[in-house]
Structures are given as structure tokens and as C-alpha cells.
Amino acid sequence: MQRLFRRVAISMIAGGMLFAAVTPATAITGGTEDTANKYKNVGMVVFYLPDARYRCTGTLISARVFLTAGHCTYQNVGKAIVTFDPVISRTAEEAERDVPRAADDSGPADAQSSTGFTSSDIKKPKYQGDQKWFLATARTHPGYSDFTDINNWNDTGVFILETAPNLPTSPIAPANYLDRFAKTFNKTEFLTIGYGTEVRQEGTNMKPAPERQPIVRRYTTEIGQKLTAQVFQTNGNDNDPRAGGGTCFGDSGGPIMNGGYVVGDTSYGYTDNCRYLDGYQRIDIPVVRNWILDCVADLVCPTKQ
């Protein structure tokens, strides 16, 4: 069974409950910390669902359109906040200090809001390295199946930023771009980027497991494994000699790229330790790509919400 672990509760940043075994959202295993801010238009979004505060990854594809996964935008409470800083926190204390909460979120034990974020919840950076946050509104692909129909997955969404961050943007792939690799997919290399949890041995853990800190932007390479009409999979094991690793909890919605194009968004995985196969929503297929282009064109797009 696919484990939908790409979205992760913000409690993975600030303490509290760990993620459920089957939850949409995941972090780069292996790979490289992007402390040099190489991929400066890949950001982290923090948002509320009715049960908790969560985080995902996404990509700026136009001045104000932040591309992510549909399960990161579906049924959001109010507005979200996005940052493009490469380092969010290295300790739980830093996360609790720096990651904003909605005004009606009373603390780690609750991590809930009935209003979501407002402009009053965002403070100006107080020191070098403090994050800059942008208020954003979620839009979900109207065909998103909430993981019930593999033939109509459509796990894509966007956040419309209220102000432009004045950063570079990444182009989405031409229509049906991935079809050209159908015969060589298991030899094709992809780039993945995200803010997911780090998988490592910690304390008394005998096996590598997702850890709460640090929360930083990472990138790695993966080799294709399977291509379908809706989604594709890659080999996400950091011991694969052909590439560098894979995605994990918190990388949800982050970009997977080839040839300079965003070809998919991080959607699902198969294991709790993020060492097997990674699944991505194709954004080059017309049913998804055309919706994204509509969003970019006028910042108004049909939505499932």
C-alpha cells in the first residue's frame, strides 16, 4: 500500500506528536543542504487543517504562484504562510521561536486554528537569518481525487502569494514532456528539492528514522523507476550508486526536475524510513498542466475547495 507521507505536521518542527503512518507528505534522504541558497525559489509553506498545523514544500513558478501538491492545499483553514529561507531551524527551540502561529493557536498541545494565518501573525525579521514570510491562499486542482483514484490522481495545488517575493521562477515542463523518456526511464536522472525530515540514526534508534530537526532545504538526485499516465516513481534509496537519495516527510509538494523544468510534485512514498520508492504527480500532462497555466495567467483558478 502506498504511504502518503509527503505532508507533515508542523509538530515535527516544534515537538508534540509524530506523523501518522499513513499521512500525505515527506525529507530528502542523503543529498546536500542548500545553505548556499542555490534553489532560492523553492520554499516551505505552513498551513492549518482542521486537526493540526502542517508544512509542505513548493516552487515559485511565476511572480506569485507557488506550485505544490494537492494534498497540501485541500481543505486548508484560512490562509497559509510561505518562506523561501533555506534554513528554518536546527533545534525545536528555534522552530518554536521562529515559525509563526495563528492568533487563535494557543501552543504545541493544540496546534489548531479556526481562522488560519492573517497578516498580523507575520512579523518582520528581527535578526540575520530570521525568516521572511508571505501570506498565501490555497487552490486545489478540481480533479484531485484525495488518493482514491490512481487514474485521476491530480495531486496538484498552488498557493497564490499576496505579494511577490521577487525571486527567480522555474518553468513547468512542456506538454507530455516525460513521454520522451518512456523507453529509458529507468536510466533517467531527476533532481528533487525539499524541506522534509532528515532520516538518520538518533539516540537509541537502531535503524535510521525520520527526525524532527533540522528543518532545512536539501536537494538530491534520483533515478526513474516507473512512468504511468498520471504519476511516476523514482528509486529513493540513498545507497543507490546511480544517484543521491530520495524524498521523505515534509518534502510533499516539492519539485522534481529534469532539463531545467519542473516535471512533477512530490506526492507519495512506500516506507516509513524513506528508503524505497518515491511517487510524484506528473504536471506535464494536459489535465494538470493546463490548470496550472490558468492559475498563472490570472491568479484565479478553479478549485476543489
Side-chain angles (χ1 to χ4, degrees):
M1 180 177 67
Q2 290 136 338
R3 294 184 181 273
L4 310 175
F5 53 50
R6 303 304 185 197
R7 178 187 69 221
V8 65
I10 206 71
S11 58
M12 287 290 288
I13 292 180
M17 295 184 299
L18 289 172
F19 55 86
V22 181
T23 306
T26 85
I28 301 295
T29 60
T32 303
E33 288 193 6
D34 189 18
T35 52
N37 208 18
K38 182 177 182 179
Y39 300 106
K40 61 182 65 178
N41 68 331
V42 176
M44 187 182 85
V45 58
V46 179
F47 56 94
Y48 286 92
L49 293 182
D51 62 332
R53 187 175 57 145
Y54 290 87
R55 77 172 190 267
C56 278
T57 300
T59 314
L60 196 67
I61 59 169
S62 71
R64 290 174 52 200
V65 178
F66 184 78
L67 177 68
T68 188
H71 67 257
C72 299
T73 58
Y74 184 50
Q75 297 181 336
N76 283 20
V77 176
K79 295 183 179 181
I81 53 173
V82 176
T83 184
F84 295 91
D85 284 28
V87 178
I88 306 302
S89 61
R90 294 194 180 276
T91 66
E93 291 75 19
E94 288 181 1
E96 188 58 39
R97 178 191 66 193
D98 295 340
V99 180
R101 292 180 179 273
D104 61 344
D105 179 353
S106 59
D110 297 324
Q112 294 180 340
S113 171
S114 61
T115 61
F117 289 101
T118 68
S119 57
S120 62
D121 300 319
I122 302 175
K123 309 301 181 185
K124 292 183 178 180
K126 303 182 183 68
Y127 55 88
Q128 186 175 3
D130 195 8
Q131 294 88 29
K132 183 176 182 180
W133 297 91
F134 298 87
L135 205 61
T137 301
R139 294 287 184 267
T140 307
H141 191 287
Y144 171 55
S145 68
D146 200 13
F147 304 108
T148 60
D149 184 356
I150 191 63
N151 296 312
N152 293 284
W153 205 251
N154 300 322
D155 186 18
T156 297
V158 299
F159 285 94
I160 307 298
L161 304 181
E162 294 201 351
T163 57
N166 298 318
L167 292 170
T169 60
S170 293
I172 65 172
N176 301 312
Y177 173 83
L178 288 175
D179 290 347
R180 69 186 67 184
F181 303 108
K183 295 183 179 180
T184 59
F185 200 70
N186 61 0
K187 298 179 182 178
T188 301
E189 183 178 283
F190 297 90
L191 169 70
T192 52
I193 310 164
Y195 286 82
T197 58
E198 182 177 300
V199 177
R200 64 180 188 273
Q201 289 179 295
E202 181 84 358
T204 59
N205 290 347
M206 298 304 294
K207 295 181 179 180
E211 301 295 339
R212 296 180 179 179
Q213 299 294 336
I215 306 299
V216 299
R217 187 197 298 142
R218 294 184 180 85
Y219 59 92
T220 193
T221 54
E222 301 183 53
I223 300 296
Q225 189 265 346
K226 181 180 180 181
L227 177 67
T228 77
Q230 267 280 327
V231 300
F232 63 100
Q233 295 172 351
T234 61
N235 288 295
N237 193 326
D238 59 352
N239 292 320
D240 188 332
R242 301 172 299 167
T247 52
C248 196
F249 299 92
D251 289 320
S252 228
I256 182 164
M257 305 185 71
N258 177 278
Y261 297 114
V262 182
V263 297
D265 61 72
T266 304
S267 182
Y268 64 91
Y270 281 84
T271 63
D272 287 339
N273 68 353
C274 309
R275 286 292 197 273
Y276 184 36
L277 299 178
D278 296 327
Y280 300 90
Q281 170 65 55
R282 290 181 64 168
I283 65 166
D284 65 321
I285 56 177
V287 67
V288 174
R289 185 176 185 273
N290 291 344
W291 179 80
I292 295 171
L293 293 177
D294 284 346
C295 296
V296 169
D298 56 13
L299 302 182
V300 178
C301 39
T303 180
K304 193 175 181 69
Q305 284 187 294

